[in-house]
Amino acid sequence: MYSKKTGSLHRASSMQRVRQMVSPFGSMRDQAKARIDYHAAELNALSHDLWSCPETAFDEVHAHDLLTSFLESNGFEVERNFILPTGFRATYGFDGGRAVAILAEYDADAQTGHSSGRNLIAECAVGVGLAVKAALESMDPKVQKGKIIILGCPGGGGAGKQQFINAGIFFGVSAALMVSPHCRNILKPIQQALEKVHYKFHGKKADAGMAPWRGKNALDAAVQCYSNIGAMRQHFDPHVRAHGIFTNGGTQANLVPEEAELFFYIRAPSTVELLPAVKQCEDCAIGAASAMQCTVDTEYGSYYSELRTNDHLAMIYKKHCNDLGVKFCKDLSDRKVGLSTDMGNVSFVTPSVHAFFEINTNAEPLTKEFAIAAGAPDAQKATLQQAKALAMTTIDLLQPGGSKLMDHINKEFQRLTPPSEVICQIPMNKPDTSGTVTPPAEVVGYSNGSATPVRGTHHGAQPVVENDLEEVSRALDTNGEGPTGELTPPTGDATPKAGSRENMIAAS
């Protein structure tokens, strides 16, 4: 059904071209790209079906059934209703190698539909799965190793991935990759740490006309809290954001409100910077409640970590994007403000990339105009290009020579992991520790198959060493053909500290 392409080789040195000619991985890449082209119409139809039937977070029933049926019909082992009612895991591959996860989202906004373009995120993830499956099928049976996992993540806007982390799903995953549509190509977007907070004020009901003095006005307490946080902004770090709404202001105008509620997003460039802002806002709520002789309950909801893009992994992905003609805008790492995503949580537990790709629109995400662009035919070319780039990146990691690349990726991951003690201090919903998740025997990056990660507690973010990036570049120039064999866990004292996030995840 599928034939190998015999097109021109990449523009490269003579030696590199020779290496590509004798390497089986050039053929694997050709098989992968050809499979995406072959399924282009079906992928477009899949995306349009999702776009035409938008479903809100954790209610993506149609999307779940559509995507799982398609993947199963194309030879994937599919686990439906995985961890969450609309979650899924689709796997293809062979034991004994690394596993790479491609993350798919497919929920929409209740007012603006697919204004985040998650129909395209899902289409791209499925396309990557088809492509990598074709590449693995074309490998020599003597060296067939590695798995591709398409992880269906419900509630892209509601921290669904954290539930997967709590369940230990990322044990044994060597890398996690995801792309989102945008109005520009951004390799390493700024994704801030975020805490979602509900402040629920409790007062005492009374007749507002006859005897208001007998009541305690919960709405006044909420208004005072809102004003307090507004006044506190001048004392925040300039890059901290706190924005909220009233979700309950009472039920009748002629009654002193007994209940009132505020819902706030508090953001900062990092978890370390987020902690004091969260505490300051909580103090604003407590002070407002005390002034109005009310009480307040502070409930912390979804927590998103800042995204820690793995530079070595991003470099591999960028190379394949460039080969496909995709160019990224200038580095935005000096900017301190941005969006937030639960992909940041994933980047704490496995090396990750979450890039943005342009879909031929000037509209910003979360607008009606962007939703229209996400469903337009013009978005298809960019989406399929991204599927090819992610597929090529995945092949580089899964093929036997990918161990050298993974060594660099994991080395950087250890350096960039923030202090685990800080992560555990954030007021967030703690994972369920009632059971124990045992990682599979072929877990890569873990010691002796134990549930204790080799990746340990590291304080501070150290810069990536330029020499490391150059070495990865040389490895890519030779199709990543380093020494064969499994990834060797990093050396050194990497035992997680008591109460650390690693132990918290290992016990989940």
Side-chain angles (χ1 to χ4, degrees), residues 75-136:
F76 282 80
E77 179 183 343
V78 176
E79 298 167 82
R80 292 177 167 84
N81 314 118
F82 183 69
I83 306 299
L84 295 165
T86 53
F88 68 85
R89 180 167 64 181
T91 307
Y92 180 85
F94 308 92
D95 293 334
R98 287 171 288 277
V100 175
I102 308 298
L103 276 56
E105 296 177 351
Y106 32 89
D107 60 301
D109 183 78
Q111 280 76 43
T112 55
H114 275 289
S115 56
S116 293
R118 294 193 177 110
N119 59 305
L120 301 177
I121 297 175
E123 175 189 1
C124 181
V126 171
V128 175
L130 296 174
V132 176
K133 178 176 178 288
L136 291 173

Side-chain angles (χ1 to χ4, degrees), residues 51 105 107-109 111-121 178-186 189-191 267 332 335 338-341 354-375:
W51 186 86
E105 296 177 351
D107 60 301
D109 183 78
Q111 280 76 43
T112 55
H114 275 289
S115 56
S116 293
R118 294 193 177 110
N119 59 305
L120 301 177
I121 297 175
M178 178 177 163
V179 291
S180 293
H182 202 266
C183 55
R184 59 184 68 88
N185 294 316
I186 306 177
I190 304 302
Q191 301 277 30
R267 304 179 195 256
L332 301 177
R335 293 179 57 185
L339 302 173
S340 302
T341 172
H354 180 195
F356 291 170
F357 68 96
E358 182 182 350
I359 58 168
N360 196 29
T361 181
N362 293 322
E364 293 283 347
L366 304 180
T367 63
K368 292 182 179 179
E369 292 77 12
F370 192 85
I372 294 172

Side-chain angles (χ1 to χ4, degrees), residues 35 37 47 98 105 113 139 197 444 467:
R35 187 64 61 93
D37 291 336
S47 173
R98 287 171 288 277
E105 296 177 351
M139 289 179 69
V197 192
V444 175
N467 289 342

Side-chain angles (χ1 to χ4, degrees), residues 188 308-315 351-353 408-410 412-414 416:
K188 297 187 291 182
R308 307 305 294 269
T309 299
N310 187 284
D311 284 339
H312 288 87
L313 187 56
M315 181 180 178
S352 302
V353 164
H408 288 290
I409 290 167
N410 275 341
E412 178 192 341
F413 178 80
Q414 286 196 320
L416 294 180

Side-chain angles (χ1 to χ4, degrees), residues 60 67-68 89 109 158 192 250 351 355 357 361 484:
E60 315 95 329
L67 295 169
T68 54
R89 180 167 64 181
D109 183 78
Q192 293 185 305
F357 68 96
T361 181
T484 58

